[in-house]
Amino acid sequence: MTLYETLAHELKAQIERGVFEVGNKLPSVRQLSTEHKVSIATVQEAYRVLEAQQLVEAKPKSGYFVARSVLIDNTPRMTKPPQRPMDVSQWEDVLDTLLNTFSKDHNVNTLCQFQHAMPNMTAKTLKPLIKRLHELTKHRALDGMIYGDVKGDETLRKQLSRLAAASGCVLQSDEFIVTSGCQEALSVCLRAVASAGDVIAVESPGFYGAMQAIKGAELKALEIPTDSETGLSIEALKLALDQWPIKAILVAPTVNNPQGFVMPEAKKQALYELAREYDIAIIEDDIYGDIAYSYPRPKTIKSFDEDGRVLLCSSFSKTLAPGFRVGWIAPGSYRNKVLHAKYVSSSMCPTLPQLAIASFIEQGGYDKHIRSMRHYYVSARDALRADIKRFFPSDTCIS
């Protein structure tokens, strides 16, 4: 972030925590300039950002005040799910959502497709990737028509090894298996660590795609209460582990879908230690990890893994584009089982998208794109929160 964006973000957080209440006068431009060692122009620009978000209002000759329209966030309460393993249902509802059939009026255009988390695919930073894909299609078309490596293209796996370092992982290229998106990665991992009828501990609420993967593998889901700011309850999980024969834990601890939290690093390590104590696997969904708002990006649970019990799953569907269908798994000690399940599931993945993405990463395009998108998504998030506060009922919860 720029200096003024950082300052605006800090002031916004203080307003939302109640440090400055509705109607309170905010620190003067000169005061903030001195405290933060930035220019007066920087402070003024930060206040302009907050005005645009309707968090702050300027009063002539009086200064800046917390706007009357500001509502302090109501965060969702922790859920109280059934304390027993359950069969996953609601496939018909999920299918209806995916097909976007909730609007029966065919004359109505759906402007926001809430059934998918769609990345910004119009970004200029994606142009080198698209150009590279065109070049490969023109000059190496045969590579896209023959069978590839069941593990995934070696050049891409080398780049995945480099990217993993940003999340605290030391992984070699041979430790990755490329999949058709993260959905296949989750499904393959579930089949590798459990058999029909086994119990999988999951966050409550959780991603509907992961729930359907559990259903498809004929497993049972045990929902664990989950805090909207810090993630799955370690205490509740331990009680569940004492009571039920849980085979694995399926979590999305970094930029969670649907709640958005980033589990604190110490809690991630505690979750890993608990899994080791009870000798069970962790399937970690890290699909949004690279676009976390903080830099450097948060560590994964996999970064604490010492015995290969964490199966790390991700893809480029949220960072680049979902149509590439390029995902991956770092399955640890479950490598052979995952590789067999992947072969049975879909055999090999298309080669050209892998080659294009590998080249994009190697030439620095991916890092540049992620930096740009991190800024873009923060702004979009703030704008959406402002609109929710302005237009939705006052008791609407936001996480």
Side-chain angles (χ1 to χ4, degrees):
M1 294 185 188
T2 61
L3 287 175
Y4 77 83
E5 289 172 327
T6 301
L7 179 56
H9 185 74
E10 183 176 326
L11 288 170
K12 176 178 178 292
Q14 291 175 341
I15 292 171
E16 291 181 339
R17 289 199 307 268
V19 175
F20 300 109
E21 297 181 351
V22 172
N24 282 177
K25 184 176 182 179
L26 292 160
S28 69
V29 171
R30 192 171 297 278
Q31 180 183 342
L32 286 177
S33 174
T34 302
E35 289 178 356
H36 292 268
K37 296 181 174 60
V38 296
S39 68
I40 287 176
T42 295
V43 178
Q44 290 173 329
E45 189 61 30
Y47 272 136
R48 273 194 285 272
V49 169
L50 296 175
E51 279 188 283
Q53 296 175 7
Q54 298 179 325
L55 293 170
V56 165
E57 55 187 0
K59 295 183 179 179
K61 299 182 180 180
S62 297
Y64 291 91
F65 295 79
V66 179
R68 293 287 175 184
S69 61
V70 170
L71 298 173
I72 303 305
D73 288 349
N74 301 310
T75 55
R77 295 180 181 178
M78 187 178 290
T79 59
K80 296 180 180 179
Q83 297 180 4
R84 65 185 187 279
M86 304 281 285
D87 289 323
V88 175
S89 59
Q90 296 182 306
W91 163 239
E92 290 76 14
D93 294 331
V94 170
L95 180 61
D96 195 47
T97 299
L98 292 173
L99 295 176
N100 200 16
T101 56
F102 43 78
S103 174
K104 303 301 181 183
D105 186 349
H106 296 293
N107 295 319
V108 176
N109 291 323
T110 303
L111 300 181
C112 293
Q113 297 188 18
F114 290 111
Q115 72 271 41
H116 296 298
M118 296 292 287
N120 177 13
M121 292 176 287
T122 63
K124 293 180 180 179
T125 45
L126 283 178
K127 287 185 177 180
L129 173 59
I130 296 170
K131 180 181 178 181
R132 182 59 181 146
L133 188 60
H134 286 166
E135 292 172 350
L136 288 166
T137 304
K138 183 177 180 179
H139 300 293
R140 296 180 60 178
L142 187 60
D143 288 344
M145 298 167 66
I146 60 176
Y147 284 115
D149 190 326
V150 67
K151 300 187 299 296
D153 186 78
E154 171 69 12
T155 58
L156 177 61
R157 288 187 284 116
K158 285 181 178 179
Q159 295 306 316
L160 291 175
S161 176
R162 186 178 76 78
L163 291 183
S167 68
C169 296
V170 179
L171 298 167
Q172 304 304 314
S173 61
D174 201 46
E175 296 180 74
F176 292 93
I177 296 170
V178 178
T179 61
S180 296
C182 196
Q183 183 66 33
E184 185 186 41
L186 296 174
S187 179
V188 162
C189 287
L190 285 166
R191 294 175 185 276
V193 304
S195 302
D198 284 341
V199 179
I200 306 296
V202 298
E203 297 154 329
S204 176
F207 169 50
Y208 64 80
M211 297 304 102
Q212 292 306 313
I214 290 174
K215 178 181 177 67
E218 300 181 343
L219 306 171
K220 293 183 180 295
L222 178 60
E223 295 181 76
I224 306 298
T226 303
D227 184 82
S228 64
E229 294 184 351
T230 63
L232 182 142
S233 168
I234 302 295
E235 295 78 13
L237 176 61
K238 192 176 191 311
L239 290 172
L241 287 166
D242 287 334
Q243 186 175 1
W244 301 101
I246 295 171
K247 201 73 172 182
I249 308 164
L250 173 57
V251 289
T254 306
V255 193
N256 175 267
N257 180 9
Q259 297 207 72
F261 60 78
V262 174
M263 182 183 283
E265 190 173 305
K267 194 171 181 179
K268 289 179 180 177
Q269 186 167 11
L271 180 57
Y272 167 72
E273 295 297 343
L274 188 63
R276 187 159 67 171
E277 178 184 344
Y278 285 82
D279 193 25
I280 60 175
I282 296 176
I283 300 173
E284 181 177 11
D285 181 354
D286 190 55
I287 192 170
Y288 295 98
D290 281 357
I291 49 175
Y293 302 138
S294 59
Y295 180 81
R297 60 144 294 167
K299 284 187 174 182
T300 55
I301 298 174
K302 181 69 175 178
S303 67
F304 302 105
D305 189 11
E306 297 177 353
D307 54 5
R309 70 178 60 252
V310 180
L311 298 89
L312 182 64
C313 302
S314 189
S315 87
F316 295 101
S317 293
K318 309 306 180 186
T319 52
L320 299 178
F324 288 123
R325 306 313 304 144
V326 177
W328 51 265
I329 308 167
S333 61
Y334 294 89
R335 182 179 180 277
N336 289 338
K337 288 185 176 180
V338 165
L339 190 58
H340 179 258
K342 158 62 185 168
Y343 172 73
V344 171
S345 173
S346 63
S347 187
M348 297 81 176
C349 296
T351 304
L352 292 187
Q354 296 182 61
L355 293 172
I357 291 173
S359 176
F360 187 59
I361 298 171
E362 185 178 17
Q363 295 174 9
Y366 183 79
D367 288 339
K368 182 179 179 181
H369 176 68
I370 291 302
R371 287 196 300 270
S372 175
M373 289 303 96
R374 188 179 293 121
H375 169 78
Y376 175 85
Y377 294 138
V378 166
S379 299
R381 186 274 313 267
D382 290 346
L384 180 59
R385 287 167 69 101
D387 282 347
I388 290 172
K389 290 178 182 180
R390 182 181 180 188
F391 297 109
F392 281 46
S394 61
D395 59 350
T396 300
C397 295
I398 306 174
S399 64

